[in-house]
Amino acid sequence: MPTLILVRHGRSTANTEGVLAGWTPGVALDERGAAQAAALPARLAALPISEVVASPLQRCQETVAPLLAARPGLTAHSDERIGECHYGDWSGRKLAELSGEPLMEVVQAHPSAAAFPGGESMRAMQTRAAEAVREWNARVERDHGPDAVYLMCSHGDIIKSLVADALGLHLDLFQRISVEPCSITAIRYTRLRPFLVRLGDTGDLASLAPRETPPADDAPVGGGAGAP
């Protein structure tokens, strides 16, 4: 079965503003995010990518645009099932403000029980994304063979939930996974089990350096802004 390259979108204006974007329209890459996207074709140059599937949201479409420009023969698709979690009434609100909501404790410690007001549950988010991957695996294998490589550009919580699915981890453990903006995660699928072969690879170790303000103990909902 194919190897899936998961790319989180580059850093967005919402990331730097500390806002939970969700499906809010008009959230674009910031200057750093655009530079991250521009570097993506060189990072992926050795890979024979057969298809590109992206979330329909602007920040993901902007992230894959340089790759598609560099490979004009590459077929691109949009799939809403790998779009961001529907955060409902939380969309567009400051993360600092949301940290005081009782639901945030559930999101952090028991996400399989978390459902966003006016939005969807985290279980539903994981289910739709995993179903999309399984369908694309079959389609890519049918069209390009069992050793094909394809790419999906998606969002932090989506990618973390797909990693948890691949590792057989309960969704309640997925907040232990971290994927930074424009990081690359790779999962090789086989008939019996998936293999996680890369996780959150940015090619940059800056995020491991001590920070003036230590990172919070809670997982950043939506994925966070990455290294300063």
Side-chain angles (χ1 to χ4, degrees), residues 6 163 166-167 185-188 194-200:
L6 287 162
V163 170
L167 293 176
T185 294
I187 302 172
R188 180 167 60 86
F195 292 88
L196 178 65
V197 293
R198 290 287 189 281
L199 176 61

Side-chain angles (χ1 to χ4, degrees), residues 38-109:
L40 200 56
R43 293 171 64 197
L44 297 168
L47 298 181
I49 297 170
S50 58
E51 306 268 359
V52 170
V53 187
S55 157
L57 293 172
Q58 180 178 340
R59 51 199 183 272
C60 287
Q61 297 291 322
E62 290 179 348
T63 298
V64 299
L67 176 64
L68 296 174
R71 302 194 192 192
L74 197 54
T75 304
H77 312 269
S78 290
D79 193 325
E80 291 192 358
R81 294 173 297 175
I82 61 166
E84 182 62 284
C85 184
H86 291 277
Y87 295 117
D89 298 344
W90 278 27
S91 299
R93 294 178 61 186
K94 290 279 189 179
L95 287 165
E97 171 191 327
L98 291 169
S99 66
E101 294 278 357
L103 177 60
M104 182 61 84
E105 186 176 11
V106 182
V107 170
Q108 292 294 326

Side-chain angles (χ1 to χ4, degrees), residues 132-212:
V133 166
R134 283 161 174 75
E135 288 183 21
W136 278 103
N137 282 348
R139 177 171 172 174
V140 169
E141 181 174 14
R142 180 197 68 204
D143 294 345
H144 302 282
D147 296 323
V149 177
Y150 75 107
L151 182 147
M152 281 186 167
C153 183
S154 189
H155 307 265
D157 282 348
I158 295 288
I159 294 173
K160 287 161 56 178
S161 74
L162 289 171
V163 170
D165 175 74
L167 293 176
L169 290 177
H170 196 284
L171 185 61
D172 286 344
L173 301 179
F174 101 127
Q175 297 290 28
R176 302 182 184 193
I177 299 165
S178 176
V179 289
E180 293 203 353
C182 227
S183 64
I184 292 173
T185 294
I187 302 172
R188 180 167 60 86
Y189 288 88
T190 73
R191 186 173 64 86
L192 297 180
R193 65 183 65 84
F195 292 88
L196 178 65
V197 293
R198 290 287 189 281
L199 176 61
D201 186 348
T202 63
D204 179 2
L205 301 181
S207 64
L208 303 179
R211 304 184 189 182
E212 291 183 11

